[in-house]
Amino acid sequence: MNKASQPPTTELCTHSLTGMSYRDRDLVNELIGERSFTDVMFTQIMGRRPRPVDLRIVDAVLITLMEHGLTPSAIATRLIYMSAPENLQGAVSAGLLAVGSQFVGTMENCAALLEQLLASSDIDAKAREIAQDYRARKQPLPGFGHHLHKPDDPRSIKLIQLAQQETELGQAHVNALLTFNKAIDETYGRHITINATGAVAALLGEIGIPTHLMRGFAVISRAAGLVSHIAEEQRMPSGRFIWETIDEAIPYVKKASE
Amino acid sequence: MNKASQPPTTELCTHSLTGMSYRDRDLVNELIGERSFTDVMFTQIMGRRPRPVDLRIVDAVLITLMEHGLTPSAIATRLIYMSAPENLQGAVSAGLLAVGSQFVGTMENCAALLEQLLASSDIDAKAREIAQDYRARKQPLPGFGHHLHKPDDPRSIKLIQLAQQETELGQAHVNALLTFNKAIDETYGRHITINATGAVAALLGEIGIPTHLMRGFAVISRAAGLVSHIAEEQRMPSGRFIWETIDEAIPYVKKASE
Amino acid sequence: MNKASQPPTTELCTHSLTGMSYRDRDLVNELIGERSFTDVMFTQIMGRRPRPVDLRIVDAVLITLMEHGLTPSAIATRLIYMSAPENLQGAVSAGLLAVGSQFVGTMENCAALLEQLLASSDIDAKAREIAQDYRARKQPLPGFGHHLHKPDDPRSIKLIQLAQQETELGQAHVNALLTFNKAIDETYGRHITINATGAVAALLGEIGIPTHLMRGFAVISRAAGLVSHIAEEQRMPSGRFIWETIDEAIPYVKKASE
Amino acid sequence: MNKASQPPTTELCTHSLTGMSYRDRDLVNELIGERSFTDVMFTQIMGRRPRPVDLRIVDAVLITLMEHGLTPSAIATRLIYMSAPENLQGAVSAGLLAVGSQFVGTMENCAALLEQLLASSDIDAKAREIAQDYRARKQPLPGFGHHLHKPDDPRSIKLIQLAQQETELGQAHVNALLTFNKAIDETYGRHITINATGAVAALLGEIGIPTHLMRGFAVISRAAGLVSHIAEEQRMPSGRFIWETIDEAIPYVKKASE
């Protein structure tokens, strides 16, 4: 293999005999005890100091994505924790692997559609075109629809209101989402709610998070949620109950024919 | 298998047609836009609302553990991200699996020793006894020593100072750590620094985090750090460079003899 | 949520007071000591007993995919093993997460193209059409090309020869691959080698492995390869050397401007 | 950091313009189409060509550990597969993280006790001493006991018989296990069965697998088992059923008091 001509560098962290820096800020004197976790996280990820509005948006998103009860992610974490309690990180890792296409991935797909709308010269026409295309292909609309919350997912309404109150935000992504929602309702002839991942896509877009990095915020948030599940598992174990319940609920059958 | 007589329950989250609650707080009206990520995370994990001092301590700990440059954890994340960029969560999960016995696990082992000291009727004698035992068995002292930072790890000094300024904390864990440090210096005849995991063990102990849950805070914090590495990888890829560098640096050799 | 009307069942395994069965074969009396690992693995995955030809093909594929030196996958496994040696399964899991789109995923994409060819009424025309489409879009051809092996990857040649010697195989997938190769060479005006994942796609197709399951064989095979790396790591540790080499090779730089 | 004076090397694999070798055997001409997967796997892991007896023992062990129905490992794999079907390797990785202390780890702990017995000058006395020590500390005996199979686990009986028929094996580990079993029965005043992990520990010991590498064989075997679960999940999905069943079975409750 030929080595790349220019070796990569890193801006994230350096350490010396007397201290450590994160992105040229002295860890001991400028960060620990001075800033919040969300602030330092944002700075490390984005390479710029967050404005107060960035922190409000990121906190709202991280809180929204943290927890959803006994989801596939939480059940997997509890089962792995039961099997290897010496290895808490493995239980969290197992659960994080659920942050894939079926749930959180819709956020990125929605954000990509919002990018298309924002790049278009006629956003209303483009919104109708995309909605009609999804309808024709009978594909689920990323960021829209919820099996439970009707007519509207209260989380999305709240998140959009929060963003709309922020005068420092350009509102382009939020407005694109609302335009898209209107086109969808017209195309399908009924109201389809913006769901939490749709609203999150717009909010993270407003503060400049690249589409392909959005999933990272879900991972961080869910890591915290999964640690809560392990804490509960330590107080009231459910792993063996889950195992026995499922082993009983899914019976063994002989193959019908061969 | 016999089912447990009493099925487990959960206090973490419930959802209904009109909303969702985390631990009986309405997500939309009481949490999103009202609290910080660290606040909600602490409440979910610990089952109680954090005091301001709890938030200051947790933020300081999370910031300290977030980043340490191109560690095994960060290198693994970058390599997996290169191989499966469609799967950001897998790259973070791979890196989190490094949060094991050799680095972060020392935090729990240190916390367990602090617990022993606090349960003892003569803490000074117990501290000397443990130090002498580790010295006799030539075992590394969990929470002490650093290959680079001498005489003292500046992060630990800062973290301990932060805790000592907090009048609401009982200081028992911090004082146990300092007593232990003194006994260690006397036993070994030289100064051995408290390292970052030692200081973190004392701080998390001060705010009531159980020893077996401490690793969870390292996992959350490191998840944020690893997302920063992926963000940097998206702007300036290093995965292929790492691969080629190591493939070249570790040569193939025939087996000496068979 | 509404439960599915019909609960799922499993055909894989059942256990009772006196024994266990895998797919209605008694584990103790019919499998252990009677069959090979590859035989039982194939039966469990495919739901039918393998013919000798199936075993020869699967063994050839598993051996081919097992090892490729210090790849991203192997490096990640070694680093995680160094960090958490108490947790061998975590080190293997971390490495397996590299079995993604960039390397092994090309096998599935190649298999999907072979399916398209086999479903076409004019396979030669379809092959040219696909080749021209990839060329026009400047996309890499899944299953073709290798940065090192030119003119031909010796592994693919061997695997295709093996399949061609098997009179029980229909040869449709192998022939489709060769037809595709010819169309590619004509379209690009030079010879592009079938690579190992291309040949594997054809061979697994010949024995009826569904496209979306092919990656599973790479995962099983690579698990064995990664255990070899851990065995070598136990005899001659490289984890710390990898860490130090990379930490030195990728320097910290200040951000150019802000 | 100071670099290690002597950089590590690897004996596993090398590749050149014209071919590839695994441990100095030409992949294309000596391995593919010539040997079985188990054969090449053993050679890579152990650095020596297996004797026929080694292959018989390893195959028996791999088949025994492959499958146990809807275990925590299999349930986790199915849930992650449902959430991220584009990422089969993540689903297997999640399930493999269950290969920890509570189930498979007992194999290593049993092997370590067998090592102690074999290093002792009076193996009967040592066996009684260990049994009495575990009884006094009310600790579970690694490799012994099964909640279902009584009086004996049929898998262990079969595995031990297989080993005893092999005249090339020294039988030291098998005999140590049987001696240990006798001491346990006397100490506890009732028969406690050798379980599958106990028998596997003795068999792998007989063919020279180091204790700390034994878990690797469980990981390889279980990877194959988990791919079977994914294959079944593709034909008959259970992930959503598992989710809904558990979400319903574990109710949300308000905290009793605060």
Side-chain angles (χ1 to χ4, degrees), chain D residues 109-128 130 170-180 198 201-211 214:
Chain D
N109 296 338
C110 181
L113 293 180
L114 298 184
E115 281 181 27
Q116 276 189 47
L117 293 176
L118 292 170
S120 159
S121 54
D122 183 343
I123 189 168
D124 292 286
K126 188 71 182 173
R128 282 193 301 273
I130 296 175
Q171 306 295 339
H173 292 78
V174 168
N175 289 335
L177 183 69
L178 297 174
T179 300
F180 193 27
L203 264 69
L204 293 180
E206 286 292 335
I207 60 170
I209 310 293
T211 296
M214 289 183 180

Side-chain angles (χ1 to χ4, degrees), chain D residues 21-37:
Chain D
S21 300
Y22 290 2
R23 289 190 176 278
D24 278 354
R25 297 290 169 194
D26 186 86
L27 173 63
V28 165
N29 295 309
E30 298 183 273
L31 304 179
I32 297 175
E34 300 295 326
R35 297 202 194 169
S36 73
F37 177 47

Side-chain angles (χ1 to χ4, degrees), chain C residues 2-3 10-11 16-17 22 28 32 35 37 59 63 89 93 99 149 158 212 215 232 234 236, chain D residues 9-11 16-17 22 28 32 35 37 59 63-64 89 93 99 149 158 212 215 232 234 244:
Chain C
N2 297 314
K3 280 213 193 181
T10 182
E11 297 174 356
S16 69
L17 286 167
Y22 291 3
V28 164
I32 299 176
R35 296 204 193 167
F37 177 47
D59 271 340
I63 291 168
Q89 72 277 13
S93 293
V99 180
H149 297 304
K158 173 75 175 203
H212 285 302
R215 192 182 290 209
E232 186 165 277
Q234 290 180 346
M236 183 188 280
Chain D
T9 58
T10 181
E11 296 174 355
S16 68
L17 285 168
Y22 290 2
V28 165
I32 297 175
R35 297 202 194 169
F37 177 47
D59 270 341
I63 291 167
T64 302
Q89 72 278 11
S93 293
V99 180
H149 298 303
K158 174 73 174 206
H212 285 302
R215 191 182 290 207
E232 187 165 275
Q234 290 179 346
E244 293 171 359

Side-chain angles (χ1 to χ4, degrees), chain D residues 39-88:
Chain D
D39 185 332
V40 177
M41 174 201 306
F42 187 97
T43 308
Q44 288 298 103
I45 294 174
M46 294 299 288
R48 67 173 174 86
R49 183 85 194 264
R51 301 162 297 174
V53 59
D54 294 318
L55 291 179
R56 288 192 294 270
I57 294 295
V58 169
D59 270 341
V61 164
L62 292 172
I63 291 167
T64 302
L65 299 174
M66 193 186 304
E67 183 53 73
H68 211 280
L70 286 155
T71 56
S73 163
I75 301 170
T77 287
R78 286 170 179 254
L79 289 166
I80 302 300
Y81 186 70
M82 176 190 82
S83 309
E86 72 282 5
N87 179 13
L88 187 149

Side-chain angles (χ1 to χ4, degrees), chain C residues 151-193:
Chain C
D152 276 305
D153 186 328
R155 295 171 297 169
S156 345
I157 293 188
K158 173 75 175 203
L159 290 168
I160 289 168
Q161 282 174 346
L162 277 183
Q164 287 175 325
Q165 288 161 14
E166 298 286 359
T167 54
E168 282 178 281
L169 298 181
Q171 307 294 340
H173 292 78
V174 167
N175 290 334
L177 184 69
L178 296 173
T179 300
F180 194 25
N181 198 5
K182 190 155 161 286
I184 288 168
D185 288 0
E186 288 168 11
T187 302
Y188 287 76
R190 61 189 162 86
H191 179 56
I192 302 184
T193 186

Side-chain angles (χ1 to χ4, degrees), chain A residues 215-235:
Chain A
R215 191 181 291 208
F217 289 86
V219 169
I220 297 165
S221 168
R222 191 48 63 98
L226 294 173
V227 171
S228 310
H229 281 272
I230 290 173
E232 186 165 276
E233 197 71 16
Q234 289 179 347
R235 290 190 302 269

